[in-house]
RNA sequence: GGCGGUGUAGCUCAGCGGUAGAGCACACGGUUCAUACCCGUGGGGUCACAGGUUCGAAUCCUGUCACCGCUACCA
């Protein structure tokens, strides 16, 4: 079971356009997926959209559209955003897909048959926007404590899921598996929340119809969260192709924002226990992004679309910035100043310039032909020795989802290469025929270092990794390369032809 | 109110019992292959504050202040 490395993003709610917060999760998931593929794992990387619920129905009604048309019109914005960010998802699930609604119905029927779902009545306050029931004590100034919108008094018949029945099992699982919910601070919050007592969850609605009908009572539609969580199994053919399902499930990693951790860490495991399915191996809640020190919100008008930044900096610089600047588990602040600063200092000056200077010298001194290296000296050995260390560190940091530290480790190689070139000073011996072998060795070593660097960069910046790889004269595709083998010294063949090109990251004015 | 976290160089943060660290910014030196880039060196911190434990505390304990998260409750 679960031979495939299965990584997921949340499915994004179609009422909002994708923004840098949405993309943050997806970019991180993509780096994980690409890194695992680079290591030779079979990977299944899933993202998608969450399309049911009252909010969608209302948004559609405001535009005189039916909900399906409205959702259909929103989905391309997500797909396009993932395309321009070079996201390598293997599938895109929509909760309005037939394959999803079928699975959701099969799943809920199974729980009903088991007696884990019962009919009850709810009377109380309800926030339409958040689709959540509220205690009167939670009401703040007559509004929802979360979104501040007015609340409604409702009385309706609902089906309930016996969450309370599984509370102890979920708690035990979280306590016995320290890696199940991360980071630790979030795990502690989840534990204390469960300990404070869980009540059964209302999982159906009758006040509107935009949802998946309950197979055992067509007057009800499924509560949007119950529906949404099931995307993780509907996309991999639960119930219809169990062979495939078992190859992929359980998920190795659910990446979520901190605001939806509770659904993933409590309700989802309880649902899986009820269905007698294995639990995901790990749920990681990342932090939120502020923009120039302020919470990102429509009312403040500071919501940033990824496209805006990609148009200016390119997809790879975008990806690099968001993975390098922030510590994944905690909140971070996006600012134009730090984006520009990292772009110029780390991408243009450090990496781009390194690539230029090495390739230019090979072109200039050896007509673009990869030279045959001779005996390694102390500086060559020093450079070569750090590569296994960096590989090891990269692996540890990627396992911890510490993308910023992983990239920092990769940049150790960038700096080491720049230092190597300086110390070796190939330009000082370029015109001395008696130093030909020495120059050959320096140029080969620089190129080979650059080639390996391309490989390590690839999960984070796929286009840049590919370009550098090809420019160093590698004819094999980087997509076929695997670490650690491809990171072994000496794969670059003397006699190959290197390629120069436009600067990878042209410096931008401050 | 309860539980938890954070407070370290101008900025962002790492360190979490053994002589204060990184990157950026700043200053100086080297170099000229390269995207006016790279490499090296340096200045800069009573590690929030006050007590305590210890041979020794940024690191452990207690208290205070500030900010943050989760949660509860009163009106």
């Amino acid at each position: 079971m679960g031979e495939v490395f299965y990584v997921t993003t949340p499915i994004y709610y179609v009422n909002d356009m994708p923004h840098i917060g949405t993309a943050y999760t997806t970019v991180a998931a993509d780096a994980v997926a690409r890194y695992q593929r680079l290591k030779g794992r079979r990977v299944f990387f899933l993202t998608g959209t969450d399309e049911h619920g009252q909010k969608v129905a209302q948004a559609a009604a405001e535009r005189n559209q039916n909900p399906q048309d409205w959702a259909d019109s929103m989905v391309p914005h997500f797909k396009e955003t993932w395309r321009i960010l070079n996201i390598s998802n293997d599938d895109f699930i929509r909760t309005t897909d037939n394959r999803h609604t079928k699975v959701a119905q099969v799943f809920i029927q199974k729980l009903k048959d088991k007696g884990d779902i019962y009919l009850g009545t709810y009377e109380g306050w309800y926030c339409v926007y958040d689709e959540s029931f509220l205690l009167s004590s939670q009401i703040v100034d007559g509004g929802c404590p979360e979104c501040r919108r007015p609340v409604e008094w409702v009385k309706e018949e609902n089906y309930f899921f016996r969450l309370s029945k599984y509370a102890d099992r979920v708690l035990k699982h979280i306590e016995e598996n320290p890696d199940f919910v991360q980071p630790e601070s979030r795990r502690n919050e989840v534990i204390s929340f469960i300990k404070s007592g869980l009540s059964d969850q209302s999982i159906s609605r009758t006040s509107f119809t935009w949802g998946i009908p309950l197979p055992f009572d067509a007057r009800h539609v499924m509560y949007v969260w119950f529906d949404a969580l099931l995307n993780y199994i509907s996309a991999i053919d639960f119930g219809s192709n169990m062979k495939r399902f078992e190859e992929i499930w359980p998920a190795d990693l659910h990446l979520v924002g901190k605001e939806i951790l509770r659904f993933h860490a409590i309700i989802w495991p309880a649902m899986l226990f009820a269905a007698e399915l294995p639990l995901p191996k790990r749920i990681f809640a990342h932090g939120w992004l502020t923009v120039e020190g302020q919470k990102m919100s429509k009312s403040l008008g500071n919501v940033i679309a990824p496209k805006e930044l990609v148009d200016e900096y390119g997809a790879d610089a975008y990806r690099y910035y968001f993975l390098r600047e922030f510590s994944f588990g905690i909140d971070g602040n996006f600012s134009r100043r730090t984006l520009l600063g990292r772009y110029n200092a780390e991408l243009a000056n450090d990496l781009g310039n390194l690539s230029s200077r090495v390739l230019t010298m090979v072109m200039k001194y050896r007509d673009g032909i990869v030279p045959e290296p001779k005996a390694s000296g102390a500086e060559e050995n020093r450079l070569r020795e750090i590569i296994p260390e960096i590989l090891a560190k990269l692996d540890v940091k990627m396992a911890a989802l510490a993308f910023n530290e992983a990239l920092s480790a990769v940049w150790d190689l960038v700096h080491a290469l720049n230092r190597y070139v300086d110390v070796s000073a190939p330009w000082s011996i370029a015109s001395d025929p008696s130093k030909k072998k020495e120059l050959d060795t320096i140029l080969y070593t620089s190129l080979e270092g650059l080639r390996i660097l391309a490989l390590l960069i690839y999960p984070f910046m796929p286009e840049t990794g590919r370009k550098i790889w090809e420019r160093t004269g590698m004819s094999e595709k980087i997509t076929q390369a695997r670490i650690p083998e491809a990171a072994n010294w000496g794969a670059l063949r003397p006699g190959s032809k290197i390629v120069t090109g436009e600067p990878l990251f042209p410096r931008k004015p401050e």
Side-chain angles (χ1 to χ4, degrees):
Chain A
M1 231 186 195
E3 297 150 39
V4 175
F5 187 93
Y6 182 23
V7 54
T8 69
T9 72
I11 46 174
Y12 302 107
Y13 207 60
V14 289
N15 258 21
D16 291 313
M17 294 287 272
H19 52 71
I20 57 173
T22 328
Y24 187 43
T25 325
T26 310
V27 166
D30 190 61
V32 169
R34 288 181 183 274
Y35 184 70
Q36 290 297 330
R37 290 193 198 104
L38 187 61
K39 293 215 314 173
R41 285 291 297 270
R42 283 175 65 201
V43 170
F44 188 71
F45 168 21
L46 180 69
T47 189
T49 43
D50 185 7
E51 305 180 18
H52 290 125
Q54 194 165 9
K55 259 190 284 185
V56 173
Q58 279 187 348
E62 284 164 17
R63 293 165 178 81
N64 287 317
Q65 283 189 310
N66 73 52
Q68 185 68 61
D69 289 345
W70 164 244
D72 287 348
S73 72
M74 286 300 288
V75 166
H77 294 293
F78 288 88
K79 290 190 169 174
E80 175 63 6
T81 300
W82 307 148
R83 188 187 68 77
I84 65 172
L85 284 170
N86 207 359
I87 301 301
S88 65
N89 54 298
D90 297 291
D91 198 354
F92 188 103
I93 182 89
R94 298 180 55 176
T95 56
T96 53
D97 285 347
N98 187 41
R99 58 176 174 157
H100 175 78
T101 57
K102 264 167 52 191
V103 169
Q105 289 183 322
V106 167
F107 189 95
I108 206 166
Q109 183 69 53
K110 187 169 175 181
L111 268 53
K112 176 73 164 51
D113 294 345
K114 211 183 159 191
D116 282 339
I117 286 172
Y118 62 90
L119 191 60
T121 304
Y122 175 83
E123 179 168 8
W125 295 107
Y126 180 67
C127 173
V128 173
Y129 185 81
D130 290 330
E131 301 190 27
S132 62
F133 296 106
L134 302 164
L135 300 170
S136 53
S137 64
Q138 292 178 289
I139 305 300
V140 178
D141 300 328
C144 169
E146 282 303 313
C147 67
R148 305 279 156 176
R149 289 173 174 79
V151 291
E152 293 174 9
W153 183 262
V154 297
K155 179 177 181 182
E156 65 176 61
E157 196 179 62
N158 294 128
Y159 284 93
F160 285 78
F161 168 54
R162 293 190 197 279
L163 182 63
S164 58
K165 174 179 164 186
Y166 295 99
D168 290 346
R169 273 183 77 183
V170 173
L171 179 61
K172 185 162 177 282
H173 186 83
I174 294 172
E175 289 186 325
E176 288 177 356
N177 298 277
D179 294 340
F180 180 59
V181 179
Q182 290 181 319
E184 194 183 347
S185 56
R186 297 289 162 203
R187 173 174 178 261
N188 292 338
E189 287 176 4
V190 170
I191 289 173
S192 71
F193 184 79
I194 299 174
K195 283 184 173 168
S196 72
L198 299 180
S199 48
D200 292 344
Q201 281 286 302
S202 162
I203 54 155
S204 74
R205 299 288 186 271
T206 54
S207 54
F208 57 95
T209 58
W210 182 237
I212 301 175
L214 298 194
F216 44 83
D217 189 340
R219 296 169 305 161
H220 291 249
V221 294
M222 216 176 280
Y223 170 50
V224 68
W225 262 106
F226 196 89
D227 161 4
L229 288 162
L230 293 167
N231 91 86
Y232 300 128
I233 61 170
S234 68
I236 55 173
D237 298 338
F238 173 74
S240 62
N241 180 350
M242 288 308 277
K243 184 172 176 293
R244 174 171 189 248
F245 175 76
E246 287 177 5
E247 249 176 37
I248 300 174
W249 192 257
D252 291 79
L253 179 63
H254 286 319
L255 289 182
V256 300
K258 62 181 183 179
E259 77 284 4
I260 56 171
L261 177 62
R262 200 180 295 167
F263 293 101
H264 285 80
I266 301 174
I267 299 176
W268 180 226
M271 286 164 67
L272 291 166
F273 275 139
E276 293 165 31
L277 290 171
L279 266 44
K281 292 178 191 162
R282 187 180 182 196
I283 301 161
F284 193 103
H286 65 72
W288 273 21
L289 298 180
T290 53
V291 171
E292 309 291 353
Q294 288 188 300
K295 189 174 172 181
M296 191 165 41
S297 76
K298 282 180 192 166
S299 51
L300 284 171
N302 62 351
V303 177
I304 301 175
K307 185 174 190 310
E308 188 188 323
L309 300 177
V310 170
D311 285 348
E312 192 177 348
Y313 287 91
D316 277 0
Y318 180 106
R319 296 166 58 107
Y320 176 80
Y321 171 79
F322 282 92
L323 295 171
R324 178 65 186 87
E325 175 74 5
F326 310 113
S327 187
F328 195 56
I330 60 179
D331 290 354
N333 179 46
F334 167 86
S335 82
R336 305 268 175 183
R337 187 181 61 76
T338 56
L339 171 57
L340 181 62
R342 286 200 186 274
Y343 178 88
N344 276 336
E346 294 163 15
L347 295 179
N349 296 351
D350 291 346
L351 176 63
N353 183 57
L354 169 68
S355 169
S356 291
R357 67 195 302 214
V358 169
L359 295 168
T360 302
M361 284 190 287
V362 174
M363 196 55 81
K364 223 170 179 174
Y365 304 146
R366 290 295 178 265
D367 295 321
I369 305 298
V370 178
E372 178 94 36
K374 304 301 176 191
S376 286
E379 289 301 331
E380 285 73 30
N381 291 334
R382 185 177 158 195
L383 178 68
R384 287 168 60 167
E385 278 163 13
I386 69 166
I387 290 169
E389 292 167 19
I390 290 172
L391 277 173
K393 194 169 174 188
L394 179 62
D395 211 45
V396 169
K397 297 305 183 185
M398 286 305 282
L401 304 183
F403 306 110
N404 57 336
E405 294 178 35
L407 278 165
S408 172
V410 174
W411 250 245
D412 286 346
L413 182 55
V414 174
H415 293 301
L417 280 164
N418 270 319
R419 194 179 309 120
Y420 171 75
V421 172
D422 279 343
V423 170
S424 309
W427 52 88
S428 66
I429 58 170
S431 54
D432 183 345
S434 72
K435 298 277 177 64
K436 180 185 175 300
K437 288 182 176 180
E438 210 176 301
L439 181 62
D440 284 347
T441 302
I442 294 166
L443 294 178
Y444 182 87
T445 303
S446 306
L447 278 174
E448 180 61 350
L450 200 55
R451 179 191 69 84
I452 293 169
L453 178 62
L455 205 57
L456 306 191
I457 281 176
Y458 182 73
F460 309 97
M461 296 191 282
E463 270 305 291
T464 303
R466 183 185 61 77
K467 278 185 193 165
I468 295 178
W469 179 265
E470 289 172 0
R471 287 183 188 185
T472 59
M474 288 300 287
S475 48
E476 297 85 348
K477 294 270 178 260
I478 194 169
T479 48
Q480 301 302 313
R482 296 288 174 264
I483 57 173
E485 301 79 17
N488 287 342
W489 193 265
L492 186 59
R493 281 186 300 278
S496 313
K497 186 89 178 72
I498 66 125
V499 188
T500 52
E502 292 297 303
L504 297 167
F505 302 100
R507 242 188 106 79
K508 290 185 187 297
E510 295 283 335

